[in-house]
Structure formats: C-alpha cells, structure tokens
Amino acid sequence: MKCRKCGDRAVLELRRHNAAFCAADFVDFFRNQVREAIRRYRMFERDEHVLVAVSGGKDSLALWDVLLEDGYRTSGLYLDLGIFDYSVESHAKCEAFAAAHGAELIVVRVTEEIGAPIPVIKDVTRRPPCSGCGLSKRYLMNRVALERGFSVVATGHNLDDEAATLFGSVMHWQTEALSRQSPALASTHPKLVRRVKPLYRLSERETAAYAFLRAIDYIVDECPFAKGATSIAHKETLNRMEDASPGAKHNFLLGFLDRARPAFERVDAVPLNECARCGQVTTGTVCAFCKLAERVKRAG
Ligand code: AMP
Ligand code: FES
Ligand code: ZN
C-alpha cells in the first residue's frame, strides 16, 4: 500500500476515502479535516480564546494538539468527576499534556461544585450515572467559560460519537434532539457560550491513529460506568454497517447535517430564563444542576 500523496509506504488505510497515507501525510490529512470543520461552521476566529474540554482520552487531547499546533489561543478544562482511579489517571494525563505544551489547564472538581462525586450522585438520583454526569459536564463547561471570559467551548466529539447520537435520536424520532445535533451550537442567550465539535469529520480510529503518531499519552480505559450504555450498542451497530459499506457512518452524519437537519430547525425557540439560585440559563425557574445539588445535599 502506498501513500496517496507522496507514494511512500502507507501506515494507514482509510477505506471510506479510498486512500492510504504515510505517517506525515496522515497527520496533515487529519489537521486539514479539523481546519475544514472550523472553516465550514465558522467555529471560532483566529483571535478568540478557545476553552478545550479535555477528558484525558485520545479525542480531546488530539483536538487540543491540533489547535495548539495551528497556533490557536487555547486553555484546557478538565472536570474531575471523582470516579475512582479513572478520574485520578485521566486528570494526570491532562496535566502531563498541558505541562509538556506549556498550556494552561483549568481543573474543576464536581465534588466541590455539587457536594458529591459522580458515583454518589448516581445513587442519589437512582438514574444511570451518565445522566447526572452529562448534565454536570454541560453546566460546568458553560459556567467556567462564562466566568473566565471564553466565548466558545470545544469538545472532542468525533464522527463515531456524533453518528451514534444521531442514530439514537432517529430511532426514537427525538425531533428536539435532532434540531440540536450540530457540530456548532450558536449562543442563543448572553449567558450561553458557543459549543463546537471540530473532530466531527474524523472517526475514532482516525483520532486513535493521530494520537499514536503524535505520541500523545492518553487514558485508554473507558469510564467504568460506560459499560452497557446504549451509545456503545449504537456504535457497534454502525461499525458493522461501516465494515460492510465503508463510508456509511460518514454519509449518515454528513448527509443529515447537509440535507435533513434544516427540516428540524426550530422557529419557536423555547424562552430561556436565568436560574433563581445560580443565574445560569434554564427553561424553568431553578436549573437542573441546582436541583441536583439540592437533592445531593438533602441525601447527605
Ligand atoms: P464523552 O461524553 O465522554 O464521550 O466525551 C465527549 C467530550 O466531552 C470529550 O471529547 C471532551 O471534550 C469532553 N469531556 C468528557 N469528559 C470530560 C471531563 N471529565 N472534563 C472535561 N471535558 C470532558
Ligand atoms: Fe460520566 Fe462516565 S464519564 S458517567
Ligand atoms: Zn442553577
């Protein structure tokens, strides 16, 4: 197999692009896909300060690496969820990456913000851990960005993540979720920062290859609560389709974004208020994060 660009020996075949690349040209290809995502969705400008949410996994560290290499002004945000060794190890990976690149890493502990770590929150709510966890992550990313003057948060969601989410929403025709499925969510309120996903065009296999080729040290283990999550089942289904028909995932997601998403665009946007307790945005009176914190306090 030869590299499509230089003709040298290829290290990676990308069947959906009908191409193979050597190490240097794959890294180039990867960065160009990120640039294309940023350009196409006008994710951020050159002079903006971008908050990159990093979990210690391959995707978000690969994203941070690309943005640093391209000269963007960035800081990392690590949310310590208090999930046993998983959090200790993933925190260490983020600290090491930040130190090696001379970049700022902001660390926020969920326990300090809400009164308990994720494993306790899951018992209090008696709901899957990912629900309280996802809620806390979204809330804290936005609040930290606002408090520190960032206008945009970038996450490491990749093509596989986005296609699996889309698949789940389509399976249940969750039209509200479909209207929000996008690589770039605009700010619809002065207290909501933009959220962007510059890796949406790149698969999990590609981000793993990039992290490997760039010698990025990341946490390989998944969160211990991820087992059995429906998103994993959806990813497996999509991967089987991808095996049979390379490009299936890409066509599913990008086809939706280009052709179907406009049909789900909401004109009657829900009115947004400021939470009576914390001042963050909510559709009700008290936001879901403050309600969760209240339940944790009562249970403690
Ligand atoms: P996940 O929801 O775990 O698939 O992660 C999706 C994206 O959310 C990651 O690529 C990160 O950008 C961000 N993220 C997940 N966990 C954390 C964390 N503990 N701290 C900061 N960002 C996170
Ligand atoms: Fe949130 Fe696993 S990372 S429950
Ligand atoms: Zn609140």
Side-chain angles (χ1 to χ4, degrees):
M1 236 179 0
K2 288 206 162 73
C3 171
R4 167 156 98 182
K5 278 181 102 183
C6 70
D8 273 2
R9 196 175 65 84
V11 293
L12 198 79
E13 185 185 12
L14 302 184
R15 283 172 68 204
R16 84 184 141 93
H17 290 290
N18 214 351
F21 291 107
C22 69
D25 284 320
F26 172 73
V27 165
D28 233 30
F29 161 85
F30 190 93
R31 290 182 180 151
N32 280 332
Q33 290 293 319
V34 177
R35 292 179 191 127
E36 171 67 12
I38 296 171
R39 190 195 60 76
R40 196 178 271 248
Y41 283 89
R42 298 207 183 113
M43 291 185 173
F44 33 78
E45 303 292 334
R46 274 276 154 206
D47 56 354
E48 269 185 294
H49 195 176
V50 183
L51 186 62
V52 187
V54 285
S55 64
K58 60 185 180 321
D59 305 302
S60 46
L61 290 181
L63 170 62
W64 201 6
D65 185 84
V66 174
L67 297 182
L68 286 166
E69 284 294 313
D70 265 5
Y72 281 101
R73 217 151 52 94
T74 59
S75 295
L77 169 64
Y78 175 75
L79 301 169
D80 182 345
L81 304 163
I83 306 178
F84 319 117
D85 291 353
Y86 168 73
S87 289
V88 177
E89 204 188 318
S90 53
H91 182 188
K93 301 289 185 200
C94 293
E95 289 285 3
F97 183 94
H101 292 81
E104 180 193 32
L105 180 71
I106 300 166
V107 179
V108 172
R109 292 187 174 75
V110 167
T111 303
E112 282 167 23
E113 300 301 323
I114 209 162
I118 297 299
V120 172
I121 294 175
K122 122 184 163 319
D123 293 338
V124 170
T125 55
R126 279 181 261 119
R127 297 196 52 201
C130 299
S131 69
C133 178
L135 164 83
S136 307
K137 283 197 258 195
R138 280 191 301 277
Y139 174 92
L140 290 170
M141 280 177 199
N142 189 71
R143 208 189 70 194
V144 172
L146 272 180
E147 285 171 354
R148 299 184 181 235
F150 295 88
S151 48
V152 58
V153 176
T155 57
H157 291 94
N158 59 35
L159 173 61
D160 295 56
D161 296 325
E162 293 300 281
T165 304
L166 174 61
F167 190 70
S169 306
V170 167
M171 288 300 281
H172 300 100
W173 290 116
Q174 288 161 331
T175 50
E176 174 68 35
L178 289 170
S179 75
R180 274 182 283 113
Q181 170 114 31
S182 172
L185 288 174
S187 166
T188 50
H189 185 281
K191 284 196 154 179
L192 279 182
V193 300
R194 272 155 34 232
R195 275 195 290 148
V196 298
K197 302 166 182 171
L199 299 185
Y200 82 96
R201 309 171 68 82
L202 290 152
S203 72
E204 204 159 304
R205 181 171 163 262
E206 288 152 16
T207 61
Y210 180 84
F212 174 77
L213 293 171
R214 294 281 301 154
I216 295 172
D217 185 21
Y218 62 88
I219 180 163
V220 178
D221 293 339
E222 292 262 5
C223 159
F225 296 127
K227 272 190 234 74
T230 48
S231 61
I232 293 187
H234 289 155
K235 279 186 183 174
E236 285 167 2
T237 304
L238 289 166
N239 280 338
R240 278 198 297 278
M241 293 167 72
E242 182 75 24
D243 277 346
S245 158
K249 266 188 289 208
H250 183 274
N251 293 341
F252 178 54
L253 180 69
L254 275 73
F256 168 79
L257 294 174
D258 288 345
R259 280 178 264 138
R261 189 178 175 275
F264 294 95
E265 209 92 59
R266 298 275 299 247
V267 273
D268 53 333
V270 237
L272 295 172
N273 316 312
E274 290 185 16
C275 169
R277 304 237 171 100
C278 72
Q280 293 293 300
V281 170
T282 175
T283 51
T285 323
V286 172
C287 78
F289 185 83
C290 286
K291 283 186 189 152
L292 183 59
E294 180 67 35
R295 286 185 71 179
V296 170
K297 206 163 107 194
R298 266 189 275 130

